[in-house]
Amino acid sequence: VGQDDMHPDDARRLLGPLAIIGRTVKSLAHVDAMPLDTVDYVCVGGVFATASKDNPDPPVGLDGLATLVAAMKARRPDLPVGAIAGITVANTPAVIAAGADGVAVISEIFMADEPDAAARALRDAVDGARAARTPEARR
């Protein structure tokens, strides 16, 4: 659920307790306002520029991603945090090294000549980068 969409509490009421509900955060204020008992995961973004969506906010970049992931994990260490916007196979290792648990992509898969191969390459990049993190960062 994006910041300009409905509140996660409203989505939970509409979709019920079994729905998986995520929230996008772009700032420390968004992290502070996160309804921790309502969401199942968070995505930070946009990390990089993307052509998939018109985003009036500047990208947060890897440093912003690291800051927002750390702030989110300080509030709820078990909450999965993903990264969104402009994610490619090439930048996935840096995104995971910055603290993201996973990635959300559109263009890297749907613009590929072989979408299934692109999806596998992204999965491999995420798995490899997560395996390379220190044990503390894997939590």
Side-chain angles (χ1 to χ4, degrees):
V1 182
Q3 291 294 320
D4 295 330
D5 300 327
M6 72 175 61
H7 193 275
D9 290 341
D10 296 328
R12 179 64 67 207
R13 270 193 302 282
L14 289 169
L15 299 173
L18 300 179
I20 298 171
I21 297 177
R23 181 73 158 173
T24 304
V25 297
K26 302 176 183 183
S27 69
L28 290 172
H30 292 160
V31 170
D32 290 342
M34 180 62 56
L36 295 176
D37 55 347
T38 302
V39 298
D40 300 293
Y41 72 94
V42 172
C43 271
V44 174
V47 177
F48 304 110
T50 182
S52 299
K53 180 180 177 182
D54 182 30
N55 191 351
D57 301 314
V60 298
L62 292 172
D63 290 341
L65 171 63
T67 297
L68 294 171
V69 169
M72 197 76 254
K73 295 287 187 173
R75 291 196 64 210
R76 186 171 153 199
D78 67 320
L79 187 68
V81 180
I84 191 167
I87 308 298
T88 65
V89 169
N91 64 28
T92 290
V95 166
I96 299 300
D101 297 308
V103 297
V105 300
I106 297 173
S107 298
E108 187 76 351
I109 293 175
F110 289 99
M111 299 299 286
D113 291 335
E114 296 183 40
D116 57 336
R120 280 193 303 276
L122 279 161
R123 178 79 243 189
D124 290 345
V126 168
D127 290 345
R130 285 180 54 108
R133 291 198 306 204
T134 63
E136 298 80 32
R138 285 188 212 128
R139 293 182 198 154

